[in-house]
Amino acid sequence: METWDWAADGLAEDKPNVARMYDYFLGGEHNFPADREMADKAIAIYPGLTEVAKINRAFLRRAVRYLCVKGIRQFIDIGSGLPTLGNVHEVAQEVAPDAKVVYCDIDQTAVTYCRMMLIGNPDATVVHGDVRHVEQILAHRDLRHLIDLGQPVAVLVLGLLHFFVDDDHPETFIARIFDTVAPGSYLAISHASSDLRPEDGERITKLYERSGNPIRFRTHAEIAKLFGGFTLVEPGLVEIPDWRPSADVGVIPEAVVSGYAGVGHRP
Ligand code: SAM
């Protein structure tokens, strides 16, 4: 990892980027001043943001463990982000060493770092792709090399769908996933909501819009609708820390919670 000068890799470093901002929220080092400046503005509006990012990662770990226990051995993590602590393959392969994992992100930095992280792991790979063309991701040769779509799979879209406004029709991405995966497959979603703090949500929406990264906070009902044909498993769509809580969640102050998470099943 040390050998690649990522900062000199021709990236649009003068514009804030959601993958690198999220890395900053999580305490990572792969971010530029423009990312940090906008992230700090968002944190000033909503000081719980860094905690929310960690809460979201904790949901990822719980969901992957749950899915392993349900017998899932194939995972597709779309909008996977820059590698951080507790990536999907680490959690899944700890429970099920034969688990296969494919990461996907639109951000080239995330893809490059992910590829480096996976060197020497024949059961995990990363593809560069755009969830707006999710059928191309699912048809990708490298994905098909690891994943048998004739067998159940878990698709994770965590912290991703709120980057699509209604005109992008994110529900159609999910519908295409539903139509492609085998019965017995699962879909996990976590999504920002401003149900608890609507005014802060509005200020953050404006901030992101101005920076060219539109964001759309959705209500509980709107997020539940995104699951389409997938049937929510217990406990349904709940505030992120409340989804099958375990010891790694800790006690979350109410004001910090700003999103919902759920896992759906394709019967
Ligand atoms: N899924 C990770 C998690 O929940 O911890 C990372 C979430 S991060 C907030 C959102 C990620 O989605 C970023 O890495 C970003 O590059 C990626 N992303 C944004 N638009 C995308 C698109 N159209 N297709 C695929 N990935 C996208």
Side-chain angles (χ1 to χ4, degrees), residues 19 22 56-57 79-81 105-107 129-131 158-160 163-164:
Y22 187 69
N56 187 48
R57 292 303 297 183
S80 45
D105 205 284
I106 199 171
D107 185 81
D130 182 340
V131 71
L158 307 192
L160 175 65
F163 293 117
F164 300 96

Side-chain angles (χ1 to χ4, degrees), residues 17-19 22 26 53 56-57 60 77-82 84 104-107 110 129-132 137 157-160 162-164 190:
N17 160 292
V18 294
Y22 187 69
L26 284 170
N56 187 48
R57 292 303 297 183
L60 176 147
D77 183 5
I78 304 180
S80 45
L82 283 149
T84 178
C104 170
D105 205 284
I106 199 171
D107 185 81
D130 182 340
V131 71
R132 284 170 291 200
I137 297 170
V157 284
L158 307 192
L160 175 65
H162 43 239
F163 293 117
F164 300 96
S190 64

Side-chain angles (χ1 to χ4, degrees), residues 180-198:
T180 307
V181 299
S185 294
Y186 289 87
L187 169 80
I189 294 179
S190 64
H191 193 300
S193 174
S194 58
D195 279 0
L196 290 181
R197 302 170 56 134

Side-chain angles (χ1 to χ4, degrees), residues 58-115:
F59 165 66
L60 176 147
R61 293 192 290 273
R62 298 196 302 286
V64 170
R65 278 191 218 112
Y66 166 86
L67 292 162
C68 284
V69 169
K70 288 287 170 191
I72 293 294
R73 294 293 179 268
Q74 311 190 95
F75 293 85
I76 303 172
D77 183 5
I78 304 180
S80 45
L82 283 149
T84 178
L85 269 185
N87 300 292
V88 174
H89 74 287
E90 291 157 348
V91 182
Q93 290 173 355
E94 197 180 291
V95 184
D98 58 335
K100 309 275 189 282
V101 180
V102 175
Y103 294 96
C104 170
D105 205 284
I106 199 171
D107 185 81
Q108 194 58 60
T109 314
V111 172
T112 303
Y113 262 98
C114 194
R115 189 158 286 134

